[in-house]
Amino acid sequence: MSDTDNTLWLHYSLPRTTWFELGPEARARHEAAFQQERDASERLGGRRVGAYHVRGQSDFSEVEIWFFPTPEQAFDHWSRLVTAGYTGCFEFSNQVGVADQAVPSAPGAMERTS
């Protein structure tokens, strides 16, 4: 984690029935639009750690992990995905956490999982 990675964003997702009903071309257009927003977030200072398949008992099938310099940048990232039509395609849950400066994080903890 760098000095500018003060905000952690966990995004859990599960494709909606609507997603599976889309034709290949429509699905590809949505995927391209979502990727465009992810790329924009990285250009603006966000850092995507990765996306992971969720195993075990969960309401979601994937978790995506990001770090952002500020909570506002995480919210901006999400707002742009919503505008691109993300919520019509996926069930989701988001969690945002801000680094507690009083508690040191484990060195390299996130680097080991990516």
Side-chain angles (χ1 to χ4, degrees):
M1 188 161 103
S2 76
D3 291 338
T4 60
D5 291 340
N6 296 319
T7 302
L8 171 69
W9 185 60
L10 300 175
H11 170 70
Y12 296 90
S13 64
L14 177 71
R16 293 182 188 270
T17 302
T18 315
W19 178 252
F20 296 111
E21 292 172 345
L22 291 173
E25 291 152 2
R27 197 182 292 186
R29 280 193 306 274
H30 279 292
E31 287 174 341
F34 304 151
Q35 187 58 49
Q36 182 178 359
E37 298 309 333
R38 289 181 184 103
D39 293 345
S41 291
E42 288 181 328
R43 285 191 305 276
L44 294 168
R47 184 170 63 89
R48 184 175 187 253
V49 175
Y52 303 88
H53 177 71
V54 176
R55 299 197 50 132
Q57 296 180 358
S58 174
D59 293 334
F60 303 100
S61 61
E62 184 177 278
V63 62
E64 191 172 346
I65 302 171
W66 284 77
F67 283 105
F68 291 95
T70 66
E72 291 78 18
Q73 284 179 297
F75 293 125
D76 178 62
H77 169 78
W78 178 241
S79 294
R80 287 185 285 102
L81 284 172
V82 169
T83 299
Y86 190 89
T87 58
C89 298
F90 294 89
E91 299 283 342
F92 62 88
S93 177
N94 294 317
Q95 297 177 340
V96 176
V98 178
D100 183 349
Q101 301 303 321
V103 179
S105 60
M110 290 308 296
E111 287 76 16
R112 287 193 301 265
T113 63
S114 59

